[in-house]
Amino acid sequence: MQKRGLNSLQTERNLTVDGKSYTYYSLQKASEQLGNISRLPLSLKVLLENLLRYENGRTVSVDDIKELCAWTEKKTSEREIAYQPARVLMQDFTGVPAIVDLAAMREAIKKAGLDPKKINPLAPVDLVIDHSVMVDYYAETGAFDSNVKLEYDRNRERYAFLNWGQKSFNNFRVVPPGTGICHQVNLEYLGQVVWTSTIDEKTFAYPDTLVGTDSHTTMINALSILGWGVGGIEAEAAMLGQPISMLIPEVVGFKLIGSLKEGATATDLVLTVTQMLRAKGVVGKFVEFYGEGLDSLSIADRATIANMAPEYGATCGFFPIDQKTIEYLEFSGREPWRVKLVEAYAKEQGLWRDSKIEPVFTDVLELDLAKVESALAGPKKPQSKVLLSEAVNNCVDALKAENATGKIAKVTLNGETFELKDGDVVIAAITSCTNTSNPAVMIGAGLMAKNAYEKGLKPKPWVKTSLAPGSQVVSDYFAKAGVQTFLDALGFNLVGYGCTTCIGNSGPLLPEIAKAIDDNDLAVCSVLSGNRNFEGRIHPQVKLNYLASPMLVVGYALAGSLKVDLKNEPLGMGKDGNPVYLKDIWPTNKEIHDTIKTAITPQMFQKRYSDVFKGDKSWQQLSSTESLTYEWEDKSTYVKHPPYFEAMPKQAQQLKDIHGARPLAILGDSITTDHISPAGSIKKDGPAGTYLIGKGVESSDFNSYGSRRGNHEVMMRGTFANIRIKNEMAPGTTGGVTRHMPEGKEMSIYDASILYQTNGVPLVIIAGKEYGTGSSRDWAAKGTNLLGVKAVIAESFERIHRSNLIGMGVLPLEFMDGLNRQALKLDGSETFDILGLEKGISPRIALDCIVHRQNGEQQKFLLRCRIDTLDEKEYFIHGGILHYVLRNMMGAA
């Protein structure tokens, strides 16, 4: 909060809590003037307070406030509002390029003769380094220390850059490596539920809100903190004081009744919720949970559900403030004054959950928690729920779809020979994300390990096991509960505190296992307690990937195959010679909760977070200069000065129609940002690998794409290069392959792009439904821009990626009137004219498109311009949101 609003409605009031006075903008006073808002969804009440606080007569007007107050009458709205979150959260993969951009903006403003200090985050920014640790060492004592050492060796250059940023920028804090994952650190420490700041010598209290460059920022909605993932581009704008332009969302109510039965976990619940909401269709909508079923769900259970909002497609999954919120704040060691303020403020503002008042929603779903069954999700989508009882059949069907050969490989490891087959589990990872914030399933996994060890079970020798908790507190309560010893005995040694397997940082398989898979073309599996299992994401040699609770991860590590029926078949033979079944080692709910009560204390949180920004010796010893502008190193292959502001005109240029554009790729449905944006390992023989080798980097030192996000040369070469992507212009191929037209020569998408750009040919991408689903990777838009793509024409877009494309000056367009690439029979030999831009664009305008075919025929049709708001229009006219911000700052000089 930077300045006080106009307060036209005179809603400023004072609230005294524990002897201290706070100023706040009263929703009750607004209601007295604008109509009853008692049944407004609580998530929209948070937005309403934001508008009251930021009313300035320009970006936020009284009419905006009136429209939101009247939402319950129509349950929807086409009104555009300007929303300003209290803070911004980043992780290092997406955070590094954002700080690179800020550094480049400082450079540009300095060259213009202005003060570089103009470029500083205006909103508080926290960046958590959590995406860089890889599972190189595992199932051994000291795996954590060895992986952290490797992490620093690989990433020292970019860590030094972030260390520079921490010293150079105001309002910017860095949580060093080895601490935890951003959304769990946010839940356990950064999030405050009610934020405070001092303006005009008054202390203002208001809802804690945020946007984050990690799509799983949404976890924080479990704590009644409204937040969601945005692209790095949008986050940078928020950091620089720009409001986030958004339409007042529809809100889908999800009513929960009853309670989970014995043996059902929060993971089983979230996979059920994800399937239901994906089927319902909630893209671009808020989901708000309500009903008496909330009484039985802890904040950790709610966090499991809120964290997977990107997987069920919603902007966020919001939970209201109630007694569970207060208990969690106390449990996690928050200051007593903060806890008292949260309760008093929530009750005063009508943000406290009242079971007697059922909000009005756009639409409603209902789930009886008692009907939730044990489940997994897979093998390729997080919304593809599979009941545990049906897992074997699902795996068998998936193997058929993969045309599995049925070959059997004989492998010898440590003197033991065994058979490796299709459907075998080669990765079993308790990995950071959905579940590691939840003590119930984590303690449950630990107790399972204890029970399994005592019965004489151990994982199969072909299974790579790992444990990557979301925070250091997990290790504390594992130790106090006495279960880490048993996890270690089963190979679930600590490998790091960070996003590992779920983002493709699973590390290499043993050479013997890898060779057996490749030589026999085996279709093997992973089971992980993460959020995502898209094709090619977890490991390039693992075709089938299943999401499951940490407890089932342990179970499948012991069974060693998805073709073992965990419901009815034994996991193995016990030391007494008798078969041991899953039910024999599965702890009861009472055992789990009794252990939690004795093993977790508020002091654990307070101790771990008492000096969280200091870092270990390795972080403190990083060399970084203290200067306003960054000293770019020409030889760096990690951090490069980006080209976005080179030769940037002082004024925005007149938009021009697009003529003679060639398709760079024609893609199908559900193309994810994983398909578009470089992630995971870098192939030696691909354009990015060739570039690095040319810079003298050995293939063993390539690191991952994520670690090199600060180098646009690497990232643009990896855009559209995912090994699983299928370009319909190059039938029979996978990976970043296309045909350069008009001669039809097959080559990499990057090489074709450079050839087209050299010849001044504009490019388009053609795609199906749900283009850009998944993580909010800004490089999916940045890479698209740098490849010379002027427009993406799709049947529909996922919210974040559509916004990111506009933020990078790429035009998102949607087919209309039932047309799509199949109906138009596109094969990539065509050229496209997109007309109407020169006349001036407005939100959601229809533009003419003319397709010119090789035989001389033409076909004209309409495309919907998916620039949805006036702010987005301004960003696009300027060539992107950063150019818009920079020009405004230069103009204000």
Side-chain angles (χ1 to χ4, degrees):
M1 183 173 179
Q2 303 304 316
K3 60 179 81 172
R4 295 171 74 171
L6 290 177
N7 193 28
S8 300
L9 299 174
Q10 300 297 303
T11 60
E12 271 194 23
R13 292 292 181 271
N14 290 320
L15 173 68
T16 300
V17 182
D18 210 21
K20 182 172 176 58
S21 179
Y22 299 89
T23 303
Y24 71 102
Y25 285 79
S26 170
L27 296 178
Q28 177 59 36
K29 287 299 175 184
S31 177
E32 290 173 6
Q33 299 177 69
L34 302 176
N36 185 9
I37 61 166
S38 63
R39 296 189 67 198
L40 192 68
L42 275 72
S43 54
L44 293 189
K45 286 185 180 181
V46 174
L47 289 183
L48 176 59
E49 188 280 340
N50 197 270
L51 294 183
L52 289 173
R53 190 159 31 96
Y54 280 103
E55 183 216 343
N56 58 12
R58 183 176 52 82
T59 56
V60 179
S61 68
V62 172
D63 286 341
D64 294 329
I65 296 168
K66 289 179 178 177
E67 178 77 10
L68 191 45
C69 286
W71 184 92
T72 52
E73 297 171 13
K74 296 181 290 184
K75 305 179 187 178
T76 186
S77 175
E78 290 298 316
R79 187 135 190 135
E80 172 193 347
I81 59 171
Y83 166 65
Q84 289 200 231
R87 58 193 176 94
V88 175
L89 178 70
M90 292 181 166
Q91 42 93 334
D92 56 312
F93 271 17
T94 46
V96 165
I99 305 306
V100 165
D101 290 348
L102 288 184
M105 291 174 78
R106 273 198 172 178
E107 193 80 28
I109 214 162
K110 181 181 178 181
K111 286 181 179 177
L114 304 176
D115 187 354
K117 288 182 181 178
K118 278 183 167 289
I119 305 296
N120 254 318
L122 297 178
V125 181
D126 291 301
L127 185 148
V128 182
I129 300 177
D130 64 354
H131 272 53
S132 299
V133 62
M134 299 184 75
V135 188
D136 288 282
Y137 295 89
Y138 62 97
E140 62 181 56
T141 303
F144 169 72
D145 291 334
S146 297
N147 285 328
V148 169
K149 182 181 183 302
L150 259 182
E151 179 186 355
Y152 269 99
D153 289 345
R154 288 169 173 155
N155 300 286
R156 189 168 302 278
E157 197 175 316
R158 56 198 285 272
Y159 286 179
F161 172 71
L162 290 175
N163 198 295
W164 166 81
Q166 187 180 38
K167 296 172 182 175
S168 180
F169 291 110
N170 299 332
N171 265 341
F172 178 59
R173 302 185 298 185
V174 176
V175 176
T179 305
I181 55 174
C182 62
H183 28 293
Q184 193 160 343
V185 172
N186 196 18
L187 187 75
E188 294 180 352
Y189 176 70
L190 298 174
Q192 302 301 325
V193 187
V194 174
W195 202 258
T196 57
S197 61
T198 302
I199 300 170
D200 298 336
E201 299 183 349
K202 287 187 175 183
T203 300
F204 281 78
Y206 47 96
D208 184 1
T209 55
L210 74 153
V211 290
T213 61
D214 188 275
S215 54
H216 293 107
T217 300
T218 53
M219 179 190 273
I220 202 64
N221 288 273
L223 206 55
S224 313
I225 297 174
L226 187 64
W228 57 85
V230 296
I233 306 144
E234 202 171 359
E236 289 168 53
M239 288 160 52
L240 294 168
Q242 294 298 308
I244 291 175
S245 179
M246 60 184 289
L247 298 175
I248 297 175
E250 295 184 6
V251 184
V252 174
F254 200 117
K255 188 173 187 178
L256 297 172
I257 61 173
S259 58
L260 293 172
K261 62 185 179 183
E262 183 70 34
T265 69
T267 313
D268 303 324
L269 171 58
V270 74
L271 296 180
T272 302
V273 168
T274 299
Q275 183 190 50
M276 291 175 66
L277 286 170
R278 265 293 171 186
K280 183 71 175 177
V282 292
V283 172
K285 302 175 184 178
F286 285 8
V287 172
E288 185 166 310
F289 294 89
Y290 71 108
E292 49 91 8
L294 293 181
D295 296 337
S296 66
L297 293 182
S298 67
I299 293 299
D301 292 340
R302 299 177 188 186
T304 307
I305 297 170
N307 196 30
M308 283 191 78
E311 279 67 46
Y312 47 79
T315 302
C316 61
F318 186 83
F319 289 83
I321 300 171
D322 60 11
Q323 192 57 39
K324 296 282 187 183
T325 314
I326 302 303
E327 291 170 2
Y328 181 81
L329 292 175
E330 294 172 338
F331 171 75
S332 56
R334 262 57 171 220
E335 304 102 319
W337 71 265
R338 178 79 64 180
V339 179
K340 291 177 183 177
L341 174 61
V342 168
E343 183 166 357
Y345 180 83
K347 289 179 176 177
E348 181 71 23
Q349 286 281 60
L351 294 172
W352 187 270
R353 178 166 71 95
D354 186 342
S355 58
K356 297 176 183 177
I357 299 176
E358 186 166 304
V360 172
F361 295 109
T362 307
D363 205 348
V364 172
L365 286 83
E366 182 174 310
L367 174 64
D368 183 350
L369 297 175
K371 294 182 179 179
V372 172
E373 301 282 345
S374 293
L376 302 86
K380 296 182 180 181
K381 292 182 181 180
Q383 66 265 33
S384 300
K385 188 184 82 167
V386 183
L387 292 177
L388 182 60
S389 57
E390 299 170 358
V392 172
N393 290 337
N394 178 275
C395 179
V396 170
D397 290 342
L399 291 174
K400 289 178 182 176
E402 290 288 339
N403 296 313
T405 62
K407 290 182 180 179
I408 297 175
K410 287 195 179 296
V411 182
T412 300
L413 280 177
N414 302 320
E416 179 184 355
T417 300
F418 53 84
E419 293 180 341
L420 190 66
K421 303 180 292 296
D422 293 328
D424 281 350
V425 175
V426 297
I427 292 176
I430 301 175
T431 184
S432 303
C433 219
T434 307
N435 298 283
T436 53
S437 63
N438 195 325
V441 289
M442 293 297 282
I443 287 288
L447 293 174
M448 274 186 69
K450 177 178 182 292
N451 296 339
Y453 176 81
E454 290 175 345
K455 288 187 177 293
L457 296 184
K458 62 179 182 179
K460 298 299 184 284
W462 55 82
V463 183
K464 179 174 184 176
T465 48
S466 60
L467 167 68
S471 90
Q472 296 174 343
V473 176
V474 177
S475 291
D476 292 337
Y477 66 68
F478 271 0
K480 189 168 184 181
V483 297
Q484 186 63 62
T485 301
F486 300 103
L487 286 162
D488 290 349
L490 297 191
F492 287 98
N493 302 71
L494 175 70
V495 298
Y497 300 101
C499 296
T500 53
T501 308
C502 191
I503 59 162
N505 285 3
S506 47
L509 299 174
L510 288 174
E512 296 88 343
I513 301 293
K515 186 174 188 302
I517 294 169
D518 290 343
D519 289 351
N520 297 275
D521 193 22
L522 297 180
V524 292
C525 306
S526 74
V527 182
L528 62 145
S529 62
N531 287 68
R532 293 184 175 152
N533 53 347
F534 302 132
E535 286 186 276
R537 180 183 179 95
I538 306 305
H539 192 284
Q541 291 176 296
V542 181
K543 293 181 179 179
L544 309 180
N545 302 282
Y546 289 86
L547 307 181
S549 70
M551 299 160 80
L552 284 180
V553 170
V554 173
Y556 275 107
L558 299 170
S561 174
L562 255 296
K563 294 168 80 173
V564 175
D565 180 359
L566 266 58
K567 280 274 191 179
N568 301 298
E569 296 181 57
L571 303 174
M573 302 303 291
K575 58 187 177 184
D576 60 3
N578 293 318
V580 180
Y581 294 84
L582 184 67
K583 60 184 175 60
D584 298 330
I585 63 170
W586 194 276
T588 65
N589 289 353
K590 185 177 186 305
E591 287 174 316
I592 292 170
H593 292 298
D594 285 351
T595 304
I596 289 173
K597 286 179 183 177
T598 59
I600 310 178
T601 67
Q603 289 72 35
M604 289 179 177
F605 294 90
Q606 291 167 344
K607 181 180 178 182
R608 286 294 189 177
Y609 289 110
S610 62
D611 206 357
V612 70
F613 303 104
K614 185 177 180 181
D616 60 15
K617 288 183 179 178
S618 296
W619 178 258
Q620 294 167 28
Q621 291 171 359
L622 286 172
S623 60
S624 62
T625 58
E626 293 192 37
S627 57
L628 285 176
T629 54
Y630 186 65
E631 296 176 8
W632 306 95
E633 296 180 20
D634 291 338
K635 293 181 180 179
S636 174
T637 57
Y638 278 96
V639 178
K640 297 282 284 185
H641 189 283
Y644 312 126
F645 311 115
E646 291 177 5
M648 184 185 82
K650 289 186 177 181
Q651 302 294 328
Q653 303 299 290
Q654 173 70 36
L655 291 180
K656 295 181 180 179
D657 292 342
I658 299 170
H659 292 278
R662 290 278 185 187
L664 187 59
I666 299 177
L667 307 169
D669 295 338
S670 300
I671 295 298
T672 70
T673 48
D674 277 21
H675 287 115
I676 308 166
S677 174
S681 58
I682 300 172
K683 289 173 63 178
K684 184 178 180 180
D685 57 354
T690 302
Y691 165 83
L692 289 172
I693 290 170
K695 294 292 182 180
V697 180
E698 297 290 337
S699 59
S700 58
D701 296 324
F702 277 3
N703 211 330
S704 66
Y705 275 114
S707 68
R708 295 188 181 273
R709 292 176 75 107
N711 184 340
H712 63 278
E713 296 285 2
V714 170
M715 298 304 286
M716 66 186 286
R717 284 166 170 80
T719 303
F720 295 109
N722 183 290
I723 59 171
R724 301 293 183 194
I725 199 168
K726 295 179 180 178
N727 182 0
E728 294 172 7
M729 287 179 63
T733 68
T734 57
V737 181
T738 192
R739 287 188 299 137
H740 183 270
M741 295 299 178
E743 71 275 13
K745 183 180 179 182
E746 201 169 274
M747 62 181 67
S748 75
I749 282 178
Y750 170 77
D751 288 337
S753 160
I754 296 302
L755 196 51
Y756 282 127
Q757 291 190 70
T758 300
N759 294 320
V761 178
L763 298 170
V764 294
I765 297 290
I766 311 294
K769 301 182 182 72
E770 296 182 343
Y771 183 79
T773 60
S775 303
S776 55
R777 290 205 171 105
D778 56 336
W779 267 110
K782 286 182 175 178
T784 300
N785 167 288
L786 292 175
L787 289 177
V789 174
K790 303 301 181 185
V792 176
I793 306 170
E795 292 179 62
S796 64
F797 290 89
E798 197 82 341
R799 175 186 63 86
I800 298 173
H801 186 58
R802 181 197 64 80
S803 173
N804 279 357
L805 288 172
I806 296 166
M808 286 308 299
V810 179
L811 184 63
L813 300 168
E814 280 184 355
F815 289 108
M816 297 173 63
D817 305 321
L819 284 180
N820 56 28
R821 69 193 192 287
Q822 293 107 329
L824 291 167
K825 298 180 179 178
L826 302 177
D827 63 12
S829 62
E830 305 84 3
T831 62
F832 294 76
D833 297 338
I834 299 168
L835 311 176
L837 298 173
E838 293 177 359
K839 297 178 182 178
I841 59 171
S842 56
R844 300 183 70 87
I845 192 174
L847 297 173
D848 287 325
C849 181
I850 302 174
V851 172
H852 300 268
R853 303 188 187 276
Q854 259 186 334
N855 61 7
E857 292 180 359
Q858 296 182 13
Q859 186 172 355
K860 186 176 182 180
F861 53 92
L862 293 176
L863 294 171
R864 176 71 62 202
C865 172
R866 282 305 312 275
I867 292 174
D868 288 355
T869 68
L870 292 173
D871 279 347
E872 288 180 348
K873 171 188 170 182
E874 286 300 311
Y875 300 153
F876 182 73
I877 288 172
H878 279 265
I881 195 167
L882 299 182
H883 298 80
Y884 172 81
V885 170
L886 194 55
R887 285 195 179 105
N888 278 352
M889 288 187 168
M890 288 178 172

